[in-house]
Amino acid sequence: MANAKVIQSKQEAVEVVTAKLRESATTVVADYRGLNVAQVTELRKQLREAGVEFQVLKNTILRRATAAAELTELDEVLTGPTAIAFSAEDAVAPAKILSDFAKKNDALKIKGGVVEGRVVDTAQIKALADLPSREGLLSMLLSVLQAPVRNFALAVKAVAEKEEATA
């Protein structure tokens, strides 16, 4: 017979993971089998710096959490050792960091994930990783917004220089 405290702690863990699945912009599930301690430490450091939470969880806890969060399609990738990265802020960060790390370390395998409440496969996670970061997108938007003002200023300057030259 299982201890009541153990059952309660597992139920609390399921509730926490369920909340993270619901609240996160992006969740990436990966198989970390074959990574050594130094590699996992480096990966955790990169994810932490980007504000991404990275955990190794039991598949039974994850399956119960996906059922509670109505994301049971994710259960098919919950086999073997499972690490999961949650990001509530930046939708691209966990996919980008894990994908870049997987390119350098063949042992890390991305299994799938959840993006904005939708279960996605490995190919979609990799496509998300290829997008520019939030800062990159903001700088592109700023550049697009500044272009008309910059062009107008250059035109006014050219007209002023032409007027000066003829005067």
Side-chain angles (χ1 to χ4, degrees), residues 85-166:
F86 300 101
S87 176
E89 303 292 319
D90 191 351
V92 178
K96 184 176 282 302
I97 293 168
L98 286 170
S99 182
D100 290 346
F101 197 86
K103 287 177 187 172
K104 296 174 191 164
N105 301 283
D106 292 336
L108 182 70
K109 304 279 187 260
I110 296 174
K111 297 181 185 181
V114 179
V115 178
E116 298 294 335
R118 260 187 42 238
V119 175
V120 295
D121 62 5
T122 305
Q124 291 169 313
I125 293 290
K126 289 183 180 179
L128 181 64
D130 292 338
L131 290 174
S133 67
R134 183 176 190 274
E135 290 76 25
L137 289 171
L138 288 174
S139 69
M140 287 180 205
L141 176 63
L142 184 61
S143 175
V144 167
L145 293 175
Q146 285 181 338
V149 175
R150 185 175 41 246
N151 292 342
F152 179 72
L154 290 173
V156 169
K157 182 179 175 189
V159 169
E161 288 174 353
K162 185 177 178 185
E163 291 292 324
E164 255 181 44
T166 57

